């Protein structure tokens, strides 16, 4: 087991946003976490990446208890988040943005190799490599955010709403790339409101409702689950 959340509770002041979450990710999987607005998806990601501390519970990554480990040290262990809303550096070029993703690494040869891989995976980014990040389209910025996360050579890539605000065709492309990244050996945990895409691409998935996991199963099982269909896929 690569990642394990054991009875994780997270609060914002007096508001408890996660009420004891149990979740696992095995090496090689794509796992999706779906849920409505405010269900606690982003909070779960923050707990895993270390940008929000737990009020109780435990997080284990590759056998190590990382519950209290600093966020930057989690990146060095191979846990990297591509955040919601992309948060690229708008004034820096595409190449500079990608370089920032490798800030925890010192192996310049490996960094150069990974840069080449990312630019091959995203030809658009290669074309626009000298352009400021802020001038890219929404889809291109999302690709840049994913590319930047890959530059840390993560073992587990955390993706927060990779499809947010993108046109359907671009969403397809982003998910194709997520599958490609996974097939190249990176384990993926993604949070999505686009349940259709997430469930059809994920090996396993969890449904989060108001801070609780209410369902889990294979992507295909949940895709055909009547309650999931009604609540998240817009079909009765
Ligand atoms: P969305 O899809 O809308 O981003 P989400 O599933 O990611 O939703 P969270 O952002 O994790 O949900 O929020 C879970 C709950 O915690 C919500 O009730 C939200 O209002 C609350 N919350 C989130 N961030 C904070 C904060 N900084 N301070 C107080 N409450 C917060």
């Amino acid at each position: 087991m690569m990642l394990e959340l054991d009875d994780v509770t997270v609060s914002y002041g007096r508001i408890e946003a996660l009420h004891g979450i149990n979740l696992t990710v095995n090496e090689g999987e794509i796992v999706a976490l779906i849920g409505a607005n405010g269900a606690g998806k982003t909070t779960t990601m923050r707990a895993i990446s270390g940008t929000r501390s737990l009020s109780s519970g435990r997080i284990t990554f590759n056998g190590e208890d990382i519950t209290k480990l600093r966020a930057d040290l989690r990146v060095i262990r191979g846990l990297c988040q591509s955040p919601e809303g992309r948060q690229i550096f708008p004034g820096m070029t595409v190449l500079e943005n990608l370089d920032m993703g490798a800030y925890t690494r010192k192996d310049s040869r490996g960094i150069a190799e990974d840069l080449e891989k990312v630019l091959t995976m995203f030809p658009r980014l290669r074309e626009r490599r000298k352009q400021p990040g802020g001038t890219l389209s929404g889809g291109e910025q999302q690709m840049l955010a994913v590319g930047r996360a890959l530059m840390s050579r993560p073992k587990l890539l955390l993706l927060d709403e990779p499809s947010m605000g993108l046109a359907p065709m671009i969403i397809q492309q982003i998910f194709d790339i997520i599958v490609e990244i996974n097939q190249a050996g990176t384990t993926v945990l993604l949070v999505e409101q686009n349940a259709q895409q997430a469930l059809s691409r994920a090996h396993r998935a969890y449904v989060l409702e108001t801070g609780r996991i209410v369902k889990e199963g294979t992507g295909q099982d949940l895709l055909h689950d009547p309650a999931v269909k009604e609540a998240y896929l817009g079909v009765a």
Side-chain angles (χ1 to χ4, degrees):
M1 203 177 291
M2 185 174 253
L3 178 76
E4 182 174 17
L5 270 65
D6 181 18
D7 209 12
V8 166
T9 299
V10 175
S11 301
Y12 296 102
R14 272 192 237 146
I15 301 166
E16 195 176 277
L18 296 180
H19 316 292
I21 301 267
N22 293 295
L23 177 156
T24 60
V25 180
N26 299 304
E27 188 164 1
E29 283 186 314
I30 298 179
V31 174
L33 182 61
I34 64 167
N37 276 323
K41 303 182 298 297
T42 299
T43 305
T44 306
M45 286 309 216
R46 288 183 185 140
I48 298 170
S49 65
T51 49
R52 189 85 209 170
S53 50
L54 277 55
S55 8
S56 65
R58 193 161 71 123
I59 303 182
T60 314
F61 182 61
N62 281 331
E64 181 188 6
D65 184 341
I66 59 161
T67 313
K68 298 213 163 104
L69 192 68
R70 260 172 30 206
D72 56 331
L73 297 176
R74 295 186 200 200
V75 176
I76 292 171
R77 302 285 199 281
L79 237 177
C80 186
Q81 178 173 11
S82 171
E84 180 182 27
R86 294 155 210 146
Q87 297 171 22
I88 55 134
F89 304 107
M92 291 168 72
T93 67
V94 166
L95 279 181
E96 288 164 347
N97 266 280
L98 291 173
D99 267 347
M100 289 299 288
Y103 79 99
T104 57
R105 298 172 60 182
K106 294 192 182 72
D107 55 324
S108 46
R109 198 137 145 223
I111 294 172
E113 273 171 29
D114 286 351
L115 178 63
E116 189 48 39
K117 273 191 210 156
V118 167
L119 294 176
T120 303
M121 190 176 281
F122 300 102
R124 272 303 181 91
L125 295 185
R126 191 191 295 278
E127 281 167 31
R128 287 160 170 67
R129 64 190 180 280
K130 294 188 179 145
Q131 207 167 302
T135 64
L136 299 179
S137 74
E140 291 161 357
Q141 290 191 22
Q142 182 60 46
M143 290 172 191
L144 181 54
V146 174
R148 190 180 62 185
L150 287 175
M151 289 301 295
S152 73
R153 205 178 265 194
K155 294 192 177 83
L156 175 60
L157 177 62
L158 304 173
L159 296 171
D160 197 350
E161 305 261 4
S163 80
M164 194 166 63
L166 302 181
M169 228 178 71
I170 310 288
I171 294 178
Q172 287 282 355
Q173 281 177 21
I174 293 274
F175 274 95
D176 285 347
I177 288 167
I178 293 169
V179 170
E180 203 179 300
I181 290 167
N182 174 252
Q183 285 171 350
T186 306
T187 306
V188 177
L189 174 61
L190 66 98
V191 153
E192 257 299 331
Q193 285 210 42
N194 189 327
Q196 176 73 45
Q197 277 293 332
L199 295 179
S200 58
R201 309 294 187 122
H203 299 105
R204 287 190 308 113
Y206 293 86
V207 180
L208 193 60
E209 270 176 23
T210 55
R212 285 194 176 81
I213 302 274
V214 294
K215 217 162 239 187
E216 63 176 283
T218 66
Q220 287 305 314
D221 284 349
L222 293 184
L223 205 51
H224 298 106
D225 181 292
V228 171
K229 273 185 173 172
E230 194 181 341
Y232 300 102
L233 302 171
V235 279

